[in-house]
């Protein structure tokens, strides 16, 4: 461990490589986390099926490439297809658990996650799939820092998606309706907002974001039916740290999580990667709790 | 239940028929819980196809003669859903309800580990072909027999090659990234022992998480430390990720050895990025082994491809060999008593298309070496052991800029 730390400090280009790659990984986490934050905030659901939606997005892109389409087309097409899938899932199942006890939503979406895993296994097999984006990598500092183009695109896309989402929620009619519903569904209904449609649209939007993330994940890494969990866990962590209503914080938390995870993997060894990030999350929550308690004390 | 009832009636009738039907073949029923759904479903399917192919072939050749009476083989399957607990439960059911006295192994070490205590409890032999964990053979099981090489053998060939090519093995620096699961950690134990013997230096020793989805932290380390040999084990996802990310991050190592790259289909999926990779395998269709039932290894591969329309993976080949081992043991035991068959199994010494099979006192096959493929021009070519090699190893791997 000390060796790794020394290596990290002595070799600045290496440190840059680890941090940059971590930030790029974080961008894909952030993309999946936007949707979770949105669904959590508006529907009051912890969407445990998040990772499986990402995996499905990956499979859509994989299929498109099998049919001879260029891989990058997969990003918008996966988003579109998954928008439809999200809508159907909402209408079929998710609407039953909206605004219920959070435990019920966790159970329901967990069941859905298992169902999707098995269906994906049935239709695509348990094999590991990957798509070559065919874009290559960028090299800096004598090859010590490498950045895969597809991850760079993921990064840019995550920022653009974040900005558009923010803009959409502020200014578009549906976005405003989503925010109103999130604040007070009853009042929103009284004011004539069709909250059922808003919920469905929110869930579908989440699935679309997951679809884009999955499309990038299959190009940057690999997918198989049972790899949704890491994405669910990371999205959950990002949202817990960032809070449900803040797009900017989700970007920051997503990127930060990716970078820290990679640095922890490098210095502590990959087996402690997730443990480190979990410990960090707990520390942040405890610190926040203490700060809030102090504030309450102050108000007394 | 109904199946059991019918077979019971059938057997009863067969017994009643007595000497008059002495020439009618009897049935030897084998039981297997195999992963037909769940995360091992692809490899579970290969296992089943391997078993079925051998049973068909043996039955077509007249079955097995036990003490002068011919018997046909029949397998009762259950789907273990890739869950160890379910596997153990189903094998209990096979033995208790279906009255099966001989069990064929499941896919994966984890499931074999769950099932072995059950077969042991009832004194039922299990010949298995897909559980390679060395830990299985440290528990003094009496009824467990494995036709495949154990996990600690997987990447030892790579150490051997590296040591020989380098001239001075003690100067070699090795990076390792092994998944934190029993299989890969066993592989690690095997290579560590050999590396110690050669005096090689370990510069990276990472344990990859089972929910692995990125390897860039490990690969950055490899890039900085420039080892002479990189060893990776993490099932299909580990092999696929390694190839994908080494190409993306342009990680240069003179020699890369992996497990599971043929089942991850790295040559087919990653094209030029997979070139030069060495891959551990239990069996290859180009090996020069032969037996009377299937013929040569390539004959087996041809038959498999004609039957199932896909290239024969080693998981299927070893599964077929497991059935052959049973057939051989039944014939030699001259009895269908599990204890006699177990005794015959311990004395197994046979050549198959899959390789030599001889069990040591712990039940593992000690007569067959692992092989190493290298991806050369998009094909998997055997390069080790040298007596079975199809081609010379290409070494060192040129840096990414020159490939």
């Amino acid at each position: 461990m000390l060796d790794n730390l020394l290596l990290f400090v002595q070799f600045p280009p290496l440190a840059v490589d680890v941090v940059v790659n971590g930030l790029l990984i974080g961008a894909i986490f952030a993309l999946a986390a936007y949707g979770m934050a949105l669904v959590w905030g508006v529907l009051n659901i912890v969407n445990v099926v998040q990772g499986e939606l990402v995996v499905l997005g990956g499979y859509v892109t994989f299929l498109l490439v099998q049919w001879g389409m260029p891989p990058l087309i997969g990003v918008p097409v996966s988003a579109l297809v998954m928008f439809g899938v999200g809508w159907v899932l909402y209408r079929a199942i998710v609407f039953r658990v909206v605004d219920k006890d959070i435990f019920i939503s966790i159970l329901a979406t967990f069941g859905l996650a298992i169902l999707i895993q098995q269906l994906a296994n049935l239709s695509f097999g348990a094999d590991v799939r990957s798509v070559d984006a065919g874009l290559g990598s960028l090299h800096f500092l004598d090859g010590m820092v490498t950045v895969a183009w597809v991850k760079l695109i993921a990064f840019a896309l995550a920022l653009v998606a974040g900005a558009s989402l923010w803009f959409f929620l502020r200014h578009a009619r549906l976005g405003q309706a989503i925010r109103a519903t999130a604040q007070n569904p009853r009042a929103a209904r009284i004011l004539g907002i069709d909250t059922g449609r808003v919920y469905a649209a929110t869930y579908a939007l989440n699935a679309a974001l997951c679809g884009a993330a999955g499309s990038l994940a299959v190009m940057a890494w690999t997918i198989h039916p049972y790899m949704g969990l890491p994405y669910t866990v990371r999205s959950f962590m990002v949202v817990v740290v960032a809070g449900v209503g803040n797009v900017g914080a989700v970007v920051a938390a997503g990127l930060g999580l990716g970078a820290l995870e990679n640095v922890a993997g490098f210095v502590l060894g990959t087996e402690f990667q997730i443990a480190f990030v979990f410990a960090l999350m707990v520390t942040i929550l405890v610190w926040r709790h203490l700060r809030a308690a102090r504030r309450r004390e102050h108000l007394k | 239940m109904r199946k059991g009832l019918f077979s019971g009636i059938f057997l009863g009738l067969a017994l009643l028929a007595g000497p008059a039907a002495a020439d009618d073949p009897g049935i030897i029923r084998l039981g297997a819980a195999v992963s037909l759904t769940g995360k091992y479903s692809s490899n579970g399917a290969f296992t089943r196809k391997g078993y079925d192919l051998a049973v068909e072939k043996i039955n077509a050749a007249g079955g097995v003669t036990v003490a002068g009476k011919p018997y046909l083989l029949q397998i009762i399957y259950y789907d273990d859903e890739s869950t160890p607990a379910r596997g153990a439960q189903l094998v209990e059911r096979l033995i208790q309800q279906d009255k099966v006295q001989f069990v064929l192994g499941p896919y994966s070490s984890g499931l074999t580990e769950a099932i072995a205590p059950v077969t042991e409890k009832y004194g039922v032999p299990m010949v298995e072909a897909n559980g390679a964990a060395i830990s299985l053979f440290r528990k003094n099981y009496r009824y467990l027999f494995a036709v495949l090489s154990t996990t600690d053998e997987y990447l030892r060939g790579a150490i051997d090659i590296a040591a020989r090519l380098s001239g001075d093995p003690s100067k070699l620096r090795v990076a390792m990234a092994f998944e934190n699961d029993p299989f890969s950690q066993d592989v690690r134990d095997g290579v560590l022992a050999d590396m110690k013997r050669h005096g090689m230096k370990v510069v990276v020793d990472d344990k990859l998480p089972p929910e692995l989805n990125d390897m860039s932290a490990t690969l950055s380390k490899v890039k900085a430390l420039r080892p002479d040999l990189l060893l990776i084990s993490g099932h299909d996802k580990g092999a696929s990720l390694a190839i994908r990310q080494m190409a993306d991050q342009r990680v240069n190592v003179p020699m890369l050895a992996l497990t599971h790259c043929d089942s991850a289909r790295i040559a087919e999926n990653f094209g030029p990025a997979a070139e030069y990779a060495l891959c551990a395998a239990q069996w290859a269709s180009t090996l020069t082994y032969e037996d009377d039932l299937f013929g040569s290894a390539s004959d087996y591969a041809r038959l498999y491809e004609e039957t199932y329309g896909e290239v024969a993976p080693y998981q299927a080949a070893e599964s077929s060999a497991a059935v052959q081992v049973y057939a051989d043991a039944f014939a030699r035991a001259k009895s269908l008593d599990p204890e006699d068959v177990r005794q015959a199994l311990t004395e197994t010494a046979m050549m198959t298309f899959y390789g030599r099979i001889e069990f040591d006192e712990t039940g593992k096959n000690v007569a067959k070496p692992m092989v190493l493929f290298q991806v050369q021009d998009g094909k998997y070519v055997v390069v080790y052991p040298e007596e079975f090699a199809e081609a010379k190893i290409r070494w060192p791997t040129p840096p990414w800029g020159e490939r």
Side-chain angles (χ1 to χ4, degrees), chain A residues 258-277:
Chain A
L260 277 172
E261 200 181 308
N262 222 29
V263 171
F266 188 93
V267 176
L268 305 175
T270 31
E271 69 266 41
F272 298 115
Q273 210 163 347
I274 278 287
F276 173 81
V277 181

Side-chain angles (χ1 to χ4, degrees), chain B residues 12-41:
Chain B
L13 286 178
L15 285 175
L16 276 180
D23 290 327
D24 288 349
I27 303 272
I28 303 176
R29 291 191 304 158
L30 307 165
V34 188
S35 306
L36 302 176
T37 56
K39 62 177 171 178
Y40 298 136
S41 55

Side-chain angles (χ1 to χ4, degrees), chain A residues 199-214:
Chain A
Y199 286 149
T202 309
Y203 200 81
L205 194 62
N206 164 41
L209 287 166
C210 287

